[in-house]
Amino acid sequence: MSSHNLFSALRAAFPSDLDATAVQTDEGLHYSWRDLDRATAMMANLLQSLDLPEGSRVAVQVEKSVEAMMLYLATLRAGYVFLPLNTAYQSAEIEYFIGNAEPAVVVCSGANFGWVSKIAFKAGTQHVFTLNDDRTGSWLDRAAHHSDQHQAAPRQADDLAAILYTSGTTGRSKGAMLTHGNMLSNALTLQDYWGWKRGDVLIHALPIFHVHGLFVAIHGALINGSKMIWMAKFDPKRAIGYMSEATVFMGVPTLYVRMLAEPALTKAAVKNMRLFIAGSAPLLIETFAEWQTRTGHTILERYGMSETAMLTSNPYSADKRYAKQSERRGGTVGFPLPGVSLRVRGDDGQDLPVGEIGGIQVKGPNVFKGYWRMPEKTAEEFTADGFFKTGDVGKVDERGYVTIVGRSKDLIISGGYNVYPAEIEGYINEMKGVAESAVVGVPHSDFGEVGVAVVIAKAGATVLPDAIIAELKAKLANFKIPKKCFVVTELPRNTMSKVQKNLLRDQYKNLFA
Ligand code: MLC
Ligand code: AMP
């Protein structure tokens, strides 16, 4: 292939019948493959008409819609860099991302245009468009004036396709730079490894601003020429209803927990389904086992991250080549995907023997190029021989199955979203009357894990837990808000005076379990 534009590879996989349905929505709308081709051409032409510099970022914070997916595909097609933003982010968060990424184009919902455009123009962005989930907005109005023919911009495998912001243990969010090559190689590997076949239909139930919904799900369906049943918002009853006409489902563990609570989830309801895939957060063995009992299907759990796309997966055993490793083992994330090297290292940097727990490091064509404008941070996160330090702690057993046992990064994964305690603590510590705070993750029956804030007031000050929560809600994305706040007189500390978060986690572990 002379060009490695990811869009071209996805386009080449469209079925020959371009009038067949590519996406069927919740509202009963049908988009054909031809619609995807024409609309992304018009949008790509609109982008190109703006005369943007090479490598320009297109930052997008809009509700999930097929048009929003088209905007992503059009950005690839035109050769620019897509920067998706969680719709829950509020102004301080957006200000940081836009200030850091300096996008040439920002697309937001009409309702947020006032404050988002102000932030964007201040950061030097020249073009701000709106796109709403009811198929209105200046983005579509403007695209409608452009040609529906477009030759995808030639791109090399190493050229940037997307930047995904992800936080670290300390400091602000970092933009993980993913290339056309990273994503195409991962999509092709998964197509083969998960046994995608003709006629597969994917239920697309996840948001499209993170790796899981944006890349694994969308690329997975498109590279296979497979139809998607498009849910603007996950609803367990409707998802189960769609299973009679679908074959593949992807979800974070919370989606499985919520579907298990539905009496409609029966063996009969899922008899058309071929594969259930889970990831983004640990799948409890109870959920894995209950799903097996209720549906007769074994969930296939896989592991990945923003910096690397997918890294490991339990096997899809129908493929003879992988027959020796055919069992999907609950509690594990399976084997390194073909092409991915994975090792477990101890604190001293030595490889650990089978079964021993250490830091997971990875290398492969899927591993990102580095953090946006943070060369030192990038260098810190890679070893001298080019392995990326995931920050996850795990082990590999004698059969090669990888198990994640924890994280060295101080991170809470709540319903598949990442919450960084350091960020929340920073906000709480600035509040009036607060001396110090600690945010820890505790088990939660729906979200898997949620944050709890433990706060110490300054001498003589009165600090109310509800007021802290209310103040946080005014500033931060809703999923980051601790589900409970306690004001206490002291925090447990070790001899170095460091707060012992493990003791706090233990103390509050039964709050929501
Ligand atoms: C919503 N809320 C959450 C939350 N989602 N709280 C904690 N964690 C979450 N994930 C809160 C809201 O703030 C709100 O609180 C209340 O719950 C109800 O909000 P909602 O919007 O109605 O929730 P709902 O729509 O039901 O959302 C739940 C969900 C959603 C599970 C469907 O969180 C979701 O789509 N999660 C998927 C995330 C994902 O795609 N992750 C992939 C990352 S990629 P209040 O107080 O305001 O009422 C990755 C790499 C990889 O990690 O390996 O894939
Ligand atoms: P993100 O930065 O949003 O891409 O989140 C990536 C992180 O999610 C990984 O580093 C893991 O900690 C976690 N993760 C992803 N998949 C799994 C899984 N199957 N089991 C446990 N943790 C997971």
Side-chain angles (χ1 to χ4, degrees), residues 164-167 210-211 253 278-283 301-308 310-312 332-333 390-392 404 406-407 409 411 413 416-418 420:
L164 296 195
Y165 274 86
T166 164
S167 294
H210 290 307
V211 167
S280 309
L283 179 74
E301 185 173 3
R302 94 304 179 274
Y303 155 57
M305 56 195 301
S306 301
E307 288 93 333
T308 62
M310 296 304 101
L311 288 166
T312 74
T332 83
V333 292
T390 62
D392 292 308
I404 297 172
R407 297 182 280 267
K409 46 195 176 191
L411 162 71
I413 303 186
Y417 288 139
N418 290 0
Y420 288 86

Side-chain angles (χ1 to χ4, degrees), residues 11 41 193 244 277 355 450:
R11 174 65 187 83
Y193 202 75
S244 60
I277 301 169
V450 294

Side-chain angles (χ1 to χ4, degrees), residues 385-403:
D385 59 348
F387 276 74
F388 173 63
K389 303 173 196 165
T390 62
D392 292 308
V393 174
K395 60 182 181 181
V396 182
D397 73 11
E398 66 294 338
R399 290 176 64 188
Y401 285 89
V402 178
T403 302

Side-chain angles (χ1 to χ4, degrees), residues 205-207 209-213 216 233-234 252 254-255 258 279-281 302-306 309-310 413-419 447 449-450 473 477-481 483:
L206 290 163
F209 35 69
H210 290 307
V211 167
H212 202 160
V216 191
K233 188 170 167 25
F234 172 71
V252 299
T254 300
L255 307 198
R258 291 187 181 183
S280 309
R302 94 304 179 274
Y303 155 57
M305 56 195 301
S306 301
M310 296 304 101
I413 303 186
S414 190
Y417 288 139
N418 290 0
V419 181
F447 293 123
E449 197 179 16
V450 294
K473 275 192 176 173
N478 56 11
F479 64 87
K480 295 182 187 171
I481 311 301
K483 299 284 184 229

